[in-house]
DNA sequence: ATAATAGTATCGGATAACCAATAGTATGAA
DNA sequence: TTCATACTATTGGTTATCCGATACTATTAT
């Protein structure tokens, strides 16, 4: 179950700008386990490199316009793949 | 955007038993692109190896009990991670 | 000022996920 | 039977994803 972390970061940053450590804590709340520094910072760096997020001088990460667009299309894509997603919430009971 | 294929296969097989080719077509409907044989058959093999799915002599794949359990806990995990998933459907507009 | 703590970041490596190309197998038609 | 078509499967390799270990930096407390 890999591959969702970057999009989860975008999803989180879309709600609120955060510092790296805060993102880590938010991920821990959601996933149960806290991602290691070797996970989160390379991920942030990559997202920054491709222009989806930005960092200011206070190390506060935020979503760029491009990041918003990307997130939007990712959500669309996801909802298309799991168009029967509603059953999923029920399936877990 | 990787890492969701195996779970998507489980999700699909949970609704209906299928042959490999039919699974491929179903994936195409959902994702837009048809997975290559080199994607789907290794995935099926792996899922079979770990006991989440089974194949009969007619090459019809089906979910095992263990597969159902796994899918159930995966759904739970997913809903926990994206507990604000509802906003996602709206976000794509 | 110094020690302790929290935050930021890099590096190297392991594994997962995926695909293109290829080959074998079954099914049906001519 | 022979050809064509669809299906099943493997191989080899690429890239993404993630982690543990480590190191550097800033902040705070004493």
């Amino acid at each position: 179950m890999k591959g969702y972390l970057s999009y989860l970061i975008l999803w989180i940053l879309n709600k609120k700008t955060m510092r790296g450590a805060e993102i880590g804590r938010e991920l821990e709340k959601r996933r149960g386990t806290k991602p290691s520094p070797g996970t989160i910072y390379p991920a942030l760096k990559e997202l920054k490199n491709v222009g989806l997020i930005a960092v200011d001088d206070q190390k506060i990460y935020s979503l760029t316009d491009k990041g918003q667009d990307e997130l939007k299309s990712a959500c669309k894509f996801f909802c298309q793949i799991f168009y029967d997603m509603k059953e999923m919430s029920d399936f877990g009971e």
Side-chain angles (χ1 to χ4, degrees), chain A:
Chain A
M1 192 126 182
K2 285 185 172 186
Y4 58 91
L5 189 101
S6 292
Y7 283 96
L8 187 48
I9 290 176
L10 293 184
W11 180 247
I12 287 174
L13 281 179
N14 183 48
K15 319 195 131 201
K16 180 167 164 303
T17 63
M18 288 183 201
R19 315 184 61 196
E22 194 176 357
I23 295 174
R25 284 189 295 265
E26 179 66 25
L27 289 172
E28 186 180 16
K29 276 202 299 183
R30 290 174 182 256
R31 309 193 316 172
T33 60
K34 190 188 208 133
S36 111
T39 298
I40 189 157
Y41 288 103
L44 289 172
K45 189 181 182 182
E46 174 64 18
L47 289 172
K48 191 183 62 180
N49 282 346
V50 296
L52 298 181
I53 65 176
V55 206
D56 67 12
D57 53 347
Q58 289 179 45
K59 314 282 184 172
I60 297 181
Y61 291 87
S62 62
L63 211 57
T64 63
D65 289 348
K66 189 179 172 190
Q68 272 221 344
D69 290 348
E70 178 65 24
L71 180 59
K72 202 167 289 191
S73 74
C75 286
K76 253 174 83 175
F77 185 59
F78 184 84
C79 292
Q80 176 192 330
I81 290 179
F82 286 101
Y83 62 78
D84 43 9
M85 189 167 39
K86 268 187 194 54
E87 303 171 27
M88 197 151 84
S89 322
D90 307 335
F91 190 63
E93 277 157 328

